Amino acid sequence: MGDDFLAYIERLQIMAFFAGYPLIYALVQVLAGRQACKSGSFANRLVQSLPYAYALTATLFLGMLLRDLYPDYSMKNISGQFQDPWLRVFGLLAMLNWIPFISQKPLLSLLHSLVFFFFIIQDLLLHITTSSIGKEVIQNDMRIFTDSFLLNTVTVTVILAFSLIIARIRKR
Amino acid sequence: MKLLKNKLLLALLVLISGYGYIISCTHDNSVPPPAAVVGIKYKPGTGVFVPGNMTAGNPNEWKLDKVHSSVLWSGAYIGAAGLLTGRFNQFGMHNVLPAEMTLYLPAGQPVKDTSWAFNEGDDSKTYFNGYVQMNTSNTGEPGRDSGCNIGNMGTQKISYYGGQYCLRDSNIARLQTTKVAFDPSTGNYIVNFNLTWKGKLSTPLTESLVGRLSYVKRATIASAVPYDVFGLQLLFQLNIRDFGVTSTSIGDKVDIQCNMNFNNK
């Protein structure tokens, strides 16, 4: 966890957005199965909506950052509030999934989110192998992971619903 | 092949997260609390404590022992787990009037701690006024104190005011009791009060809250010149979201503990 408590809280915040995505990704891919290859099918639409849902999650993350900084968006305030800006910048990179060229490679969104899931693995390993990580930290991680899973479920549902509505309008 | 890889990934993720849930859901055995004692009715004492003019050497005038008192806060961090804790370094028991809401040189108490009275037997004569300087919040953790601790409360650091005490309404939270009533089932007092704080709002908000006040009985301290002491502890909770605090580092509910010690030296 390191010595910096604020950095730890920031890490939990960012995990709350992205750490649950790998599980959603794997669930969707397995549920879609071979049907995902059939263009226009529901399974195909579901798989295609994954990167956009991830981008939506990143946009919500950006919204939270802007809300936290409100009303002072100066560099001084940003450097004062954020202990680990690079992790946040890395999190915001997920918004690149709004670009169709990148969203065509859903694997990229999985690799990006796995970075945040690895924080949980790291804590679990430290808990098992050393006493430096207490059960409370694992409890935090799993609560955050649950929240993140629910958030990503909602974003996938929203994007899928949006995609179905657009498809229906286009058919007409 | 791709499906197999996805299945393998899903199995791995489920295994890892499942193991995490198992660890986090395992409870340690805890000792149950002792059974509650019922049927006891407490009676209030007869002590009367007033500050008067806080004249030194007058044993009938009680002085707030600021040095040995404290105002502590605590709240669940990110609203989910253990406590974030801290204290306010500067506070007092004075009804800060608009004319007094200004800057003061940092020497002793900026205004006299005379806006209170405690009457053990007649709670209708008990009242308190108090204030804390929000920018003196101190967590003991440099990372937090130099970071967002003060900014998240909608005020400015002490250095912003040139090191002076700031009693402007943007920087103080004020407490004013409206009713104090003895509770015979606990021997404590139920305190209704108004809390006024601006927080991150555009203007100060006054909210009616309820707290529990416990009285630590008067005792004589043996010294070259013996003197008496007594203590009061007020506990209450507030919802900081009502005051516009949006930081996700701390949960909605914050517990406040005011430990006030008095002497008649």
Side-chain angles (χ1 to χ4, degrees), chain A residues 5-6 8-9 12-13 22-23 25-27 29-30 33-34 67-68 70 80-81 83 110 117 121 124 127-128 135 138-140 142-146, chain B residues 2-3 6-7 9-10 13-14 16-17 19-21 23-28 77-78 80-81 84 141 143-144 146-148 152 200 246-249:
Chain A
F5 187 72
L6 269 181
Y8 171 63
I9 289 179
L12 287 180
Q13 273 184 345
L23 189 56
Y25 177 93
L27 262 177
Q29 291 284 5
V30 169
R34 291 190 176 86
R67 194 198 67 170
D68 281 353
Y70 178 83
Q81 293 240 12
Q83 306 298 307
L110 172 70
F117 187 77
I121 298 176
L124 279 171
H127 177 75
I128 296 164
K135 200 169 73 179
I138 305 297
Q139 281 175 338
N140 284 338
M142 298 322 292
R143 278 182 187 151
I144 293 293
F145 177 72
T146 307
Chain B
K2 191 183 171 190
L3 186 63
N6 286 329
K7 279 183 177 172
L9 174 69
L10 180 62
L13 291 169
V14 169
I16 292 166
S17 51
Y19 183 66
Y21 283 119
I23 291 177
S24 63
C25 290
T26 309
H27 293 279
D28 298 325
Y77 81 87
I78 59 169
L84 285 177
E141 164 55 52
R144 274 184 281 168
S146 62
C148 57
N152 278 339
K200 291 188 98 171
T246 56
S247 168
T248 49
S249 299

Side-chain angles (χ1 to χ4, degrees), chain A residues 153-165:
Chain A
T153 307
V154 169
T155 54
V156 168
T157 310
V158 167
I159 293 291
L160 182 64
F162 195 67
S163 141
L164 289 171
I165 290 166

Side-chain angles (χ1 to χ4, degrees), chain B residues 159-217:
Chain B
S159 55
Y160 178 87
Y161 299 107
Q164 294 188 91
Y165 290 157
C166 175
L167 262 57
R168 290 174 185 158
D169 62 0
S170 58
N171 188 49
I172 57 170
R174 287 176 289 148
L175 178 155
Q176 192 164 36
T177 57
T178 52
K179 186 186 174 188
V180 179
F182 183 73
D183 176 15
S185 62
T186 62
N188 295 332
Y189 295 80
I190 306 298
V191 180
N192 293 74
F193 62 94
N194 289 331
L195 181 79
T196 305
W197 178 35
K198 180 172 170 289
K200 291 188 98 171
L201 305 173
S202 54
T203 54
L205 170 75
T206 298
E207 199 165 75
S208 294
L209 299 171
V210 182
R212 180 171 287 275
L213 178 79
S214 55
Y215 163 59
V216 183
K217 283 191 182 300

